[in-house]
Amino acid sequence: MSDYLKKRQHDAMFGKQVQEKFSKIAKVGAKRKLENETYQERRIIVLLSRKACEANLKGCTKKSVEIHHKKGRVGKNFLDESYWLPSCRNCHIYLELNPEIAKELGFSENRLT
């Protein structure tokens, strides 16, 4: 029997045992998974109820399809709808790429306050 076939036979017999020995680490923790599910549900409701882009910057397509988080998505700000801004893709990209201008226009706030 060739070395290749021996290796294949060995892997078939012992490879599965090695995989079962080590548990897989979840990519997302249970708490964050629940937050993501809650966020997706709320996001859809907000986008359906507030259909117009609220940023209205140059190049705006007028239809809200994304949520801009005025205070970022860290911690409690992720699910706090008072800091959400429904926006079109063009406006959202502009706000994310130009944080100083977004703050000047009132579309972003300091995360630490």
Side-chain angles (χ1 to χ4, degrees):
M1 188 181 294
S2 72
D3 289 340
Y4 173 76
L5 290 176
K6 286 180 186 176
K7 170 98 172 89
R8 292 281 309 255
Q9 197 173 38
H10 179 270
D11 289 348
M13 290 173 36
F14 299 106
K16 194 168 190 173
Q17 290 175 355
V18 172
Q19 284 179 337
E20 290 172 359
K21 185 177 178 182
F22 298 102
S23 63
K24 290 186 177 181
I25 298 174
K27 291 181 181 179
V28 178
K31 183 179 175 184
R32 186 57 174 200
K33 183 178 180 182
L34 181 62
E35 286 177 341
N36 286 342
E37 291 169 0
T38 304
Y39 172 74
Q40 288 301 327
E41 292 169 3
R42 289 187 189 176
R43 177 184 174 274
I44 290 168
I45 292 168
V46 168
L47 290 175
L48 289 174
S49 64
R50 296 160 67 183
K51 294 181 181 186
C53 175
E54 295 179 11
N56 281 327
L57 301 171
K58 186 177 179 182
C60 182
T61 61
K62 309 290 186 215
K63 183 178 178 187
S64 65
V65 292
E66 297 185 1
I67 299 291
H68 174 68
H69 294 80
K70 292 180 181 182
K71 278 194 151 189
R73 298 180 300 169
V74 179
K76 64 180 180 173
N77 294 332
F78 184 58
L79 295 175
D80 190 351
E81 292 181 32
S82 63
Y83 296 112
W84 289 8
L85 179 76
S87 61
C88 68
R89 180 77 176 139
N90 293 341
C91 291
H92 193 217
I93 289 171
Y94 184 81
L95 294 173
E96 291 295 324
L97 294 177
N98 301 288
E100 295 83 18
I101 296 172
K103 284 181 183 176
E104 287 175 18
L105 296 173
F107 295 131
S108 287
E109 297 179 23
N110 190 345
R111 293 179 181 145
L112 303 176
T113 60

